[in-house]
Amino acid sequence: MFGTSKDVKNWNRERSETRRNQWGSTRMKIRGPGDGPRRSVPFQRISITGIHITGVPLDDLKRSASFLINALSLRKNYMEISNQSFPDDLAYYLTHNEGPPYFNDNKEKPQNNEAYLRFHPDLDEKYCDLTTCSSEELLNFQQIDRHNLRSETDRRIQDSQEDLQDEGPGDEDPWNCPTPPDRHLVYRWKHGVVQVYKNKEDAYENKKMNYRYLSFKQYVEDMSLLTDMISDGPLKSFCYRRLSYLSSKFKMHVLLNELHELALQKAVPHRDFYNVRKVDTHIHAASCMNQKHLLRFIKRTLRAQPGQVVALRDGLPITLKAVFEEMQLDAYDLNVDILDVHADRNTFHRFDRFNAKYNPVGESRLREVFLKTDNYMNGAYFADILKEVISDLEDSKYTYAEPRISVYCKRASEWGELAAWALRRRVYSSHVRWLVQVPRLYDVYRINNLLKNFQEFLNNLFDPLFKVSIDPHSNPELHKFLTHVIGFDSVDDESKPENPNLTENMKTPEEWDDEENPPYAYYLYYMYANIVMLNQLRKEQGLNTFVLRPHCGEAGPPAHLCAAFLLAENISHGLILRKVPALQYIYYLSQIFIAMSPLSNNSLFLRYHRNPLPDYFSRGLRVTLSTDDPLQFHYTKEPLMEEYGIAAQAWKFSSCDMCELARNSVLMSGFPREMKQRWVGLTYERAGAAGNDIARTNVPDLRLTYRLETLRAELNNLFGV
Amino acid sequence: MFGTSKDVKNWNRERSETRRNQWGSTRMKIRGPGDGPRRSVPFQRISITGIHITGVPLDDLKRSASFLINALSLRKNYMEISNQSFPDDLAYYLTHNEGPPYFNDNKEKPQNNEAYLRFHPDLDEKYCDLTTCSSEELLNFQQIDRHNLRSETDRRIQDSQEDLQDEGPGDEDPWNCPTPPDRHLVYRWKHGVVQVYKNKEDAYENKKMNYRYLSFKQYVEDMSLLTDMISDGPLKSFCYRRLSYLSSKFKMHVLLNELHELALQKAVPHRDFYNVRKVDTHIHAASCMNQKHLLRFIKRTLRAQPGQVVALRDGLPITLKAVFEEMQLDAYDLNVDILDVHADRNTFHRFDRFNAKYNPVGESRLREVFLKTDNYMNGAYFADILKEVISDLEDSKYTYAEPRISVYCKRASEWGELAAWALRRRVYSSHVRWLVQVPRLYDVYRINNLLKNFQEFLNNLFDPLFKVSIDPHSNPELHKFLTHVIGFDSVDDESKPENPNLTENMKTPEEWDDEENPPYAYYLYYMYANIVMLNQLRKEQGLNTFVLRPHCGEAGPPAHLCAAFLLAENISHGLILRKVPALQYIYYLSQIFIAMSPLSNNSLFLRYHRNPLPDYFSRGLRVTLSTDDPLQFHYTKEPLMEEYGIAAQAWKFSSCDMCELARNSVLMSGFPREMKQRWVGLTYERAGAAGNDIARTNVPDLRLTYRLETLRAELNNLFGV
């Protein structure tokens, strides 16, 4: 805030000299009480001793444990058959009723893996030295064995090459991929779920392929078990206590270790929060640009191509200029206020108004012209503006995104059109993977007689996928496009009234011809069940599989979160977890990733300072920061950085916290394994510090060791009784 | 959040048709109750009727009024003699004991001023029409008389030209300015204040020039009057009630008029929050780049110029490379964590630690090399990085800044060196005006025997200025540089312990040879008193004058705010006003601009959600948003936009609020009158809507009418008893 003084200078000089002198001095090891004789990442640990370690009566503990283990087993089963991921650690507990052996001692170095060993020659000793520093020294810590860390001089060159590896597609066809041959399989719809047969004869005889499958009846049973469980009084208390305990423990961890964490981060050459990889895990393609960007794009297009025919009305062509003339607007007039796409005070708890904000100038025709893939111009403008956003992403280099692109399921041709749009207009980037979002709008189409029943909705969604997965040559464009699709999202206003309870006697999709929308959990099951079949089929073909990452728990009943707990690999939002301790606790135990968008919530459902993200994060839930809709919520040209920045300011996140959030976003994302290895470490799939490479993530091992040990302590409580 | 539905489309279409049909319909005028027969900007007004309108007993009111009027008169006097601004309106009240006539009826159009009339042909009728709309229509309002507003087709061309006028300096010398002749005046220091004489004979006979002047004794009396006043019980209650009333009134205003305000904003062609002018009214040059920018600059420089000699040590040259080798760092290693300039959890209420953050890598030598104007390389690197920041400002086109640059007052040569640095390195931009910040470090220099007494501190600060103002040819560089300096800032940690009470028997600056620092109010008086003299001298010479804009009320005792109330045209921070209702109220009544930096406060003194900015703003205090130190606080490449964005998100500011804040920042700034006219309107000096041009500010007249009427109602309460 002001000039330096000679005193300050002297003081600084003295201090740094002292530091240097002390540097090589006695190396007494300070260890946490829980350390024992084991050799492991050293930091200040909090250990709990005594008998009643969970703070509840033993009977309550036993009862709660059986509930929770049961729920976790259910999820394990659902994830396995759908080819979605489930933590190895937890799977081990569920199988062996105890934790896996603790590998972190020597980080179990992959043998003969030079690239890995490079960074971890004397890992533990390095840390042990650090523990001998006073806190003042740690705070000003700089010189620590940085030279050890970079003993190989050409590492940096290699790094730069690695950094370059995921640059743009170059000249070759970005959509190039192997195309397996036609398998001539046959599929049939049965009660809303596809069944696959080897050939027509088998289909006739109903001799299904050996695919695993979970019936709707089973799902209804499991759901009712979960919904009973989350309202169980003693369990609620138990989970609430554990979550509070986890918060307090993290707070203590930070108070004891934050200087240490910071010192370790400083010791990593080159890497900092700005150049760790961040994935925007929840963003909608139609609103991924900010409002000023969209405004400029519209103005520019209107000036450059006024005569472009953009639509037909009553069979007559209508030009871009004419569209604007009808609205009595010209390019110069337009401003952000007229564009009127930003959320404001009037959108809070008004999802209807928020949805209307997707229409620039309140006009759905502008949305049609500029933000749709399937309009008169085959989405030319939308492709152009998306490519501008993507190019900004590529420029910023460390930022990636998983935008949602819509398939409405009104027509079976939508998939083909979407793929054609992406391929022919080269809407591609190594910085982008797509999620397909399916709006829950069956009721609207039904009322307008576009569909007869819910089965047709499912047909439009899945028929093209099964066809192209069985015979990729049947639609090469779609086949190629799908290699860049990582999964499915289910979207709409969750606060709409519905009957959240499922019964096994509910109408099947063929029977569901009501004008009423099916409930959330019904939609989700039929997406899941068909993804199960599709993934098994695609896996056999050597094709990529899909995950289910629905919007869930943004509002509405907790039942949505129960459904996603069973069916979805990970979710967006999860705000409602704050009201349901038992669910929050099992989301924690099963380490389900949650893409949270506090700025979006702030405009729609929950004020920023009440957002549960910092609580979730401190407890160890795997949260990420995402933007949702930069068009509606953000002000700067770097929406994801804005989202991180505000969170850091509002919740006083440290650099370590921020980097952990960024690492979570990479782990949650659907980018290919090789890219993730480059971004966060070769062994990223492993739990705790063993899966961390601080040189890439800037997250100190000790933070991840804390997370892992804390999680294992919780699981030991449950499995130990 | 998801795709449109046919329903939504239909509904939209119907709605917009209804809107269009209703558009030309009956135009019944809805007027607020306080409107009476007067023709004025129509909106929903809140009027208070009855006798005891202030809600306190009449005696209390009378007593409070006399206190407050007295305080306002004091400020009027201090501002007038120092050539600092004071509101015309309030001056009228103080002179005539009643308000000036209400001009807003016809906006008192400047006659024969086409440019002004262009936008206001039928101003009132336009608004009246709007009042006939239902709120739903207003919310979706688009087509309103936009055509009236742009009846002249070439306006836009003219606008673009205007927009271009403040672009860069082109080829001519940016520092070109008239140089008045030597006036051969003589000045002498008397008790810490310069006295000016016509010539040496007059000086000998002590025949001063006819300059106005306020003695320290008078100042001490006025200060004690103010400090007594702010602790007066009944007055505190009165002011607290009025401030609460102002908050509630604004809340009601917004509830009643926000749709109307938004509609008016939409009606302004081209203009929106992104392209209204914003001035960063509080930013320090040494921290005006963000951390990533500084890091990149250091890395780039180290790579490009490793052999550059950057300092002498024991008389021997030392290269940039050597500096980094000593620290065992190289360009590749450096990261933001090592740079360690960002404020974090550990700076809260630790201004000492925060100050240390100005040293990159905790090393004052790096600060010396990269962030100083007077180092071995004469500030070459600092000039380069500043020019990069300035170039970003120019690219963003609508953003301006008033950075603080330091004069430490250790040596008399500092001013000359600073001017030489700026001129020779062409650190210039039409987007930038400088404030000179004077750190309150007398005690440090005294202890190190750099100065003998406080008078020497003042000598070093003011001698060069008086010399060059009397004879600009004596130092042409400084003369030119001063034309771009708009005033003085006084900076340091306000929370340092001090005895805030002044007495008239205090040591004069010549006598002040203690190792203790003089109190804040003492520093401020001697800066003010000499600025008074300097401004009168410079005004006679036809030169620009200076304002005093100190850091004030960031922490520490309320006495700081009393001193600034008397001495300063405007201030930075003002957080402490939240604890002192009487002071807050007179800051409101005298419409003192306050540059607030909530993100800075959040890291240092007050959590974001407790920041009083939204309260101040709602009450009508003239607040602006500024960044303070992007290096320490901000994450994105657009720190000012980040600051606005976070405020908008956290406090749910509307577009109208944001544009009002931006307009405030222009009015507060020291940019030349002609630039301000281009930015916010030809008549910007006038109060209320008469001084507004919505086509430039995007602030609806009705908001400013509300502000003016509310202020006048408060003044009427006081002056009417």
Side-chain angles (χ1 to χ4, degrees), chain A residues 1-2 268 335 355 633 649, chain B residues 2 268 335 355 358 633 649:
Chain A
M1 194 72 70
F2 71 108
V268 185
N335 62 38
N355 265 332
F633 305 124
Q649 306 274 10
Chain B
F2 70 109
V268 185
N335 62 37
N355 266 330
Y358 267 84
F633 306 124
Q649 308 274 10

Side-chain angles (χ1 to χ4, degrees), chain A residues 1-5 7 9 12 20 139 142-143 146-147 150 155-156 159 254 258 265-266 268-272 274-275 284 291-292 295 299 327-330 332-338 340 345-346 348 351 353-355 358-359 361 363-364 367-368 372 408 437 439 441 444 448 491-492 551 554 599 602 604 607 628-629 633-638 645-646 648-650 652 654-655 657-658 698, chain B residues 1-7 9 12 139 142-143 146-147 150 155-156 159 254 258 265-266 268-272 274-275 284 291-292 295 299 327-330 332-338 340 345-346 348 351 353-355 358-359 361 363-365 367-368 372 408 437 439 441 444 448 491-492 551 554 599 602 607 628-629 633-638 641 645-646 648-650 652 654-655 657-658 698:
Chain A
M1 194 72 70
F2 71 108
T4 185
S5 72
D7 281 287
K9 271 193 213 166
N12 261 336
R20 238 162 269 153
L139 192 63
Q142 298 154 40
Q143 275 83 356
R146 202 173 290 126
H147 290 276
R150 54 184 168 94
R155 171 184 51 75
R156 69 192 64 180
D159 270 11
V254 167
E258 65 179 333
Q265 289 190 299
K266 285 186 181 182
V268 185
H270 184 68
R271 196 64 66 196
D272 59 40
Y274 287 89
N275 60 25
H284 298 272
Q291 54 178 346
K292 193 67 181 178
L295 183 75
K299 286 183 172 212
M327 296 187 290
Q328 306 188 26
L329 282 174
D330 75 8
Y332 181 83
D333 286 346
L334 268 182
N335 62 38
V336 159
D337 302 317
I338 298 175
D340 196 18
R345 289 194 284 245
N346 296 304
F348 204 57
F351 207 89
R353 273 200 187 140
F354 173 74
N355 265 332
Y358 267 85
N359 297 322
V361 199
E363 298 277 351
S364 57
R367 180 178 184 180
E368 186 74 26
K372 293 274 182 183
Y408 295 101
Q437 64 176 9
L441 291 178
V444 175
N448 289 288
V491 296
D492 197 0
H551 279 55
E554 185 181 15
L599 283 179
N602 183 51
L604 285 170
R607 291 295 301 270
D628 201 349
D629 303 274
F633 305 124
H634 296 71
Y635 285 89
T636 72
K637 292 171 205 144
E638 306 165 87
I646 297 182
Q649 306 274 10
K652 305 236 162 165
S654 69
S655 166
D657 299 334
M658 304 271 278
N698 204 28
Chain B
M1 195 70 66
F2 70 109
T4 186
S5 71
K6 202 150 189 181
D7 280 287
K9 271 193 210 165
N12 262 335
L139 192 64
Q142 298 156 38
Q143 274 84 355
R146 201 172 290 127
H147 289 278
R150 55 181 167 97
R155 172 184 51 76
R156 69 191 65 180
D159 270 11
V254 167
E258 67 179 333
Q265 289 190 299
K266 285 187 181 180
V268 185
H270 184 68
R271 196 63 66 195
D272 58 41
Y274 286 88
N275 60 24
H284 298 273
Q291 54 179 346
K292 193 67 181 177
L295 183 76
K299 287 185 171 210
M327 296 188 291
Q328 305 186 26
L329 281 173
D330 74 8
Y332 181 83
D333 286 347
L334 270 183
N335 62 37
V336 160
D337 302 318
I338 299 175
D340 196 19
R345 288 194 285 242
N346 295 304
F348 204 57
F351 207 90
R353 271 199 188 141
F354 173 73
N355 266 330
Y358 267 84
N359 297 322
V361 199
E363 298 277 351
S364 59
R365 24 184 180 172
R367 181 179 184 179
E368 186 73 26
K372 293 275 181 183
Y408 295 102
Q437 63 177 9
L441 292 178
V444 175
N448 289 290
V491 297
D492 197 0
H551 279 54
E554 186 181 14
L599 284 180
N602 184 51
R607 291 294 303 269
D628 201 348
D629 302 275
F633 306 124
H634 296 71
Y635 285 88
T636 71
K637 292 171 204 143
E638 307 165 88
M641 189 54 85
I646 297 182
Q649 308 274 10
K652 305 235 163 167
S654 68
S655 165
D657 299 333
M658 304 272 278
N698 205 27

Side-chain angles (χ1 to χ4, degrees), chain A residues 180-320:
Chain A
D182 188 357
R183 287 185 67 202
H184 302 290
L185 301 176
V186 172
Y187 73 89
R188 296 272 181 276
W189 286 92
K190 294 262 157 145
H191 305 312
V193 181
V194 161
Q195 301 296 344
V196 185
Y197 307 90
K198 215 168 215 148
N199 47 43
K200 279 191 184 162
E201 291 72 43
D202 279 13
Y204 186 73
E205 293 167 25
N206 201 18
K207 277 170 63 184
K208 296 175 199 167
M209 299 272 284
N210 190 20
Y211 288 173
R212 284 181 298 173
Y213 167 70
L214 247 155
S215 70
F216 186 71
K217 183 165 171 257
Q218 181 64 45
Y219 169 65
V220 172
E221 269 174 33
D222 296 340
M223 275 292 281
S224 102
L225 196 145
L226 275 185
T227 44
D228 287 355
M229 181 188 109
I230 62 172
S231 51
D232 180 77
L235 181 68
K236 278 202 282 192
S237 299
F238 174 77
C239 294
Y240 177 78
R241 292 181 81 96
R242 296 315 300 167
L243 292 169
S244 305
Y245 166 84
L246 289 169
S247 288
S248 307
K249 191 175 174 193
F250 183 73
K251 199 170 173 187
M252 288 170 71
H253 168 80
V254 167
L255 286 167
L256 295 170
N257 294 290
E258 65 179 333
L259 298 178
H260 195 162
E261 287 177 346
L262 182 63
L264 291 169
Q265 289 190 299
K266 285 186 181 182
V268 185
H270 184 68
R271 196 64 66 196
D272 59 40
F273 172 68
Y274 287 89
N275 60 25
V276 298
R277 260 67 176 198
K278 299 156 207 86
V279 182
D280 196 339
T281 45
H282 175 196
I283 180 169
H284 298 272
S287 56
C288 66
M289 65 301 293
N290 85 358
Q291 54 178 346
K292 193 67 181 178
H293 185 176
L294 179 60
L295 183 75
R296 287 210 179 111
F297 182 85
I298 292 177
K299 286 183 172 212
R300 208 183 327 131
T301 311
L302 183 52
R303 276 202 204 97
Q305 310 173 15
Q308 169 76 47
V309 175
V310 294
L312 289 183
R313 188 175 307 155
D314 310 326
L316 293 176
I318 173 164
T319 64
L320 188 57

Side-chain angles (χ1 to χ4, degrees), chain A residues 507-547:
Chain A
K507 289 184 180 173
T508 64
E510 305 97 304
E511 295 161 3
W512 193 289
D513 56 1
D514 305 11
E515 297 200 344
E516 205 182 324
N517 224 10
Y520 179 94
Y522 186 96
Y523 264 103
L524 225 55
Y525 169 77
Y526 285 102
M527 287 180 74
Y528 166 84
N530 287 298
I531 291 172
V532 166
M533 292 302 174
L534 188 62
N535 277 351
Q536 291 180 83
L537 173 65
R538 287 179 69 85
K539 205 178 173 192
E540 281 183 1
Q541 287 275 62
L543 300 170
N544 60 311
T545 59
F546 303 117
V547 302

Side-chain angles (χ1 to χ4, degrees), chain B residues 474-690:
Chain B
S474 67
N475 188 342
E477 282 183 335
L478 180 55
H479 166 66
K480 288 175 179 175
F481 177 67
L482 288 180
T483 59
H484 288 256
V485 171
I486 61 153
F488 294 87
D489 195 347
S490 173
V491 297
D492 197 0
D493 179 5
E494 288 188 69
S495 63
K496 281 184 186 169
E498 63 164 17
N499 175 3
N501 294 323
L502 303 181
T503 62
E504 56 176 285
N505 306 323
M506 280 176 110
K507 289 183 180 174
T508 64
E510 305 96 302
E511 297 161 1
W512 194 290
D513 55 2
D514 307 10
E515 294 199 345
E516 204 183 322
N517 224 9
Y520 179 94
Y522 186 97
Y523 264 103
L524 224 56
Y525 169 78
Y526 285 102
M527 288 182 73
Y528 167 85
N530 288 299
I531 290 171
V532 165
M533 292 302 173
L534 188 63
N535 277 352
Q536 292 180 81
L537 174 66
R538 288 178 69 84
K539 204 177 174 193
E540 282 182 2
Q541 288 275 62
L543 300 170
N544 60 312
T545 59
F546 304 118
V547 302
L548 184 58
R549 188 192 298 168
H551 279 54
C552 183
E554 186 181 14
H560 297 188
L561 287 159
C562 293
F565 178 77
L566 293 175
L567 308 175
E569 182 170 302
N570 43 48
I571 62 168
S572 295
H573 289 305
L575 288 184
I576 299 297
L577 287 177
R578 76 190 192 283
K579 301 182 178 174
V580 197
L583 268 176
Q584 192 184 137
Y585 193 56
I586 55 176
Y587 269 73
Y588 165 64
L589 293 176
S590 42
Q591 295 279 290
I592 299 174
F593 284 96
I594 307 171
M596 301 189 76
S597 310
L599 284 180
S600 163
N601 304 148
N602 184 51
S603 292
L604 285 170
F605 290 107
L606 192 70
R607 291 294 303 269
Y608 204 95
H609 67 277
R610 296 183 58 209
N611 198 290
L613 189 144
D615 288 337
Y616 293 179
F617 179 75
S618 71
R619 287 162 187 167
L621 280 91
R622 304 299 289 273
V623 292
T624 72
L625 274 170
S626 55
T627 56
D628 201 348
D629 302 275
L631 180 63
Q632 274 83 22
F633 306 124
H634 296 71
Y635 285 88
T636 71
K637 292 171 204 143
E638 307 165 88
L640 188 61
M641 189 54 85
E642 188 178 343
E643 191 84 41
Y644 274 96
I646 297 182
Q649 308 274 10
W651 299 320
K652 305 235 163 167
F653 281 148
S654 68
S655 165
C656 179
D657 299 333
M658 304 272 278
C659 292
E660 192 185 351
L661 286 167
R663 178 175 179 270
N664 279 352
S665 78
V666 170
L667 296 181
M668 175 176 190
S669 78
F671 281 87
R673 186 165 179 277
E674 309 73 53
M675 286 173 91
K676 289 190 183 180
Q677 285 184 318
R678 273 206 301 282
W679 298 347
V680 294
L682 293 169
T683 56
Y684 74 88
E685 283 117 332
R686 304 197 44 204

Side-chain angles (χ1 to χ4, degrees), chain A residues 452-563:
Chain A
K452 284 200 191 62
N453 54 39
F454 192 66
Q455 179 60 49
E456 293 192 356
F457 186 93
L458 293 174
N459 288 348
N460 292 337
L461 180 55
F462 285 106
D463 274 340
L465 300 179
F466 278 98
K467 275 180 202 150
V468 78
S469 300
I470 290 170
D471 178 15
H473 293 279
S474 66
N475 187 344
E477 282 183 334
L478 180 55
H479 166 66
K480 289 175 177 177
F481 177 67
L482 287 180
T483 59
H484 288 256
V485 172
I486 61 154
F488 294 86
D489 194 347
S490 173
V491 296
D492 197 0
D493 179 4
E494 287 188 69
S495 63
K496 279 184 186 171
E498 63 164 19
N499 176 4
N501 295 324
L502 304 180
T503 60
E504 55 176 284
N505 306 323
M506 278 175 110
K507 289 184 180 173
T508 64
E510 305 97 304
E511 295 161 3
W512 193 289
D513 56 1
D514 305 11
E515 297 200 344
E516 205 182 324
N517 224 10
Y520 179 94
Y522 186 96
Y523 264 103
L524 225 55
Y525 169 77
Y526 285 102
M527 287 180 74
Y528 166 84
N530 287 298
I531 291 172
V532 166
M533 292 302 174
L534 188 62
N535 277 351
Q536 291 180 83
L537 173 65
R538 287 179 69 85
K539 205 178 173 192
E540 281 183 1
Q541 287 275 62
L543 300 170
N544 60 311
T545 59
F546 303 117
V547 302
L548 184 58
R549 188 193 298 168
H551 279 55
C552 183
E554 185 181 15
H560 296 190
L561 287 158
C562 294

